[in-house]
Amino acid sequence: MIVPEAQRAEAGLSEDGAAAEEGAGSKKTRKPSRAILIEQIRAALDFSALTAARGAHKVVLVYPAEALNAVAANALLKTLEEPPGAMRFVLASGDAQALLPTLRSRCQPVALAAPAREEALAWLRGQGVAEPEPLLDACGGQPLRALELQRAGLDAAAWRQFPQWIARGDSAAVAGWPLPVLLDALHKLCHDHALATLGAPGRYFPGARLAPGAGLARLTEAAAWLRAQTRHADHPWSAALATEALVQGTRARLQPGP
């Protein structure tokens, strides 16, 4: 199983394995990577060259596949096209369009539908999520991601108030949110503002009163600005300053222009 170093514990993998996959370099001197790195793919390719000891088949699971950085993805291409013997690769992804086209072209797609809403809500309640409906809406019906939000410190009340916090520029209310989570929420808020502008109900913030005043042109610019900020979400700068900049920058862009 190949996962980003930051998700090893979540996947039930030991931290010792990360050092073996990633080679030299002290993990104590840097943040755990949220990307799948070239060293991990090299370790998987070394594994693919070994003879199976107990069974006829070997499988490498890459999850989430969209976490492959460009160098790692390109290193995988040749083996993915012609896996040795009974070797198989499973690239599991919640956003297949984020994968390189050259990767997608070498794979057989298998679409897995999200569970029914009531089934997902019942599962989340069983995981200890007291009011799962807003968090499930926040994640587009994906219960695993809803559980991740809850474990990151978000709850139903916080998600409901998020549009008002941004409208007021209240960065203190989201000060503890991880930057990738905050950026994702801002993207979704921008998306629902666009729906409100078109007279459609919100997808991620259903029932929220979103002002459509910015107009589609400004909302498109806001979405592009947020995409640019996403590239820097894992940089080791001041989280407080980054949060303030994201909240105030988004608030300004969601308001009508001069």
Side-chain angles (χ1 to χ4, degrees):
M1 181 185 290
I2 304 297
V3 300
E5 182 185 348
Q7 295 179 222
R8 289 187 67 85
E10 177 187 330
L13 301 175
S14 69
E15 293 189 7
D16 293 340
E21 284 179 357
E22 298 183 18
S26 171
K27 289 179 20 176
K28 295 181 180 179
T29 62
R30 59 175 175 79
K31 277 180 70 175
S33 175
R34 303 183 73 89
I36 294 175
L37 307 176
I38 179 64
E39 291 82 0
Q40 294 173 275
I41 296 304
R42 285 173 178 157
L45 298 182
D46 289 343
F47 168 73
S48 72
L50 299 175
T51 302
R54 291 179 292 178
H57 300 276
K58 292 186 296 180
V59 178
V60 171
L61 171 63
V62 181
Y63 173 78
E66 62 268 24
L68 285 160
N69 68 22
V71 178
N74 282 306
L76 186 57
L77 288 177
K78 179 62 178 176
T79 304
L80 196 63
E81 185 172 16
E82 298 179 359
M87 182 78 187
R88 294 295 180 265
F89 285 85
V90 178
L91 274 59
S93 173
D95 184 11
Q97 293 303 310
L99 300 177
L100 290 177
T102 45
L103 274 181
R104 295 200 307 271
S105 68
R106 288 163 168 79
C107 296
Q108 175 183 349
V110 179
L112 302 177
R117 181 174 177 82
E118 289 308 315
E119 182 182 355
L121 291 173
W123 181 80
L124 286 168
R125 292 187 189 100
Q127 298 298 311
V129 182
E131 193 179 353
E133 291 85 354
L135 294 185
L136 191 62
D137 290 332
C139 298
Q142 300 181 59
L144 287 174
R145 293 195 175 180
L147 184 61
E148 289 174 9
L149 277 187
Q150 193 259 354
R151 288 176 174 171
L154 278 70
D155 58 17
W159 191 257
R160 286 197 191 97
Q161 295 176 68
F162 183 75
Q164 287 71 45
W165 290 340
I166 302 306
R168 297 196 303 264
D170 187 359
S171 56
V174 296
W177 292 26
L179 290 181
V181 172
L182 176 59
L183 274 161
D184 182 63
L186 292 171
H187 274 288
K188 290 171 177 175
L189 180 60
C190 187
H191 176 276
D192 275 16
H193 268 281
L195 290 178
T197 300
L198 297 171
R203 178 183 181 188
Y204 301 108
F205 299 92
R209 296 180 180 178
L210 303 180
L216 286 179
R218 266 180 82 76
L219 289 170
T220 301
E221 293 174 2
W225 179 77
L226 285 169
R227 283 195 298 273
Q229 308 315 305
T230 301
R231 294 197 295 268
H232 312 296
D234 291 317
H235 283 209
W237 48 28
S238 167
L241 290 177
T243 296
E244 180 74 18
L246 288 170
V247 169
Q248 301 305 330
T250 303
R251 177 177 181 266
R253 287 167 173 82
L254 294 182
Q255 296 176 341

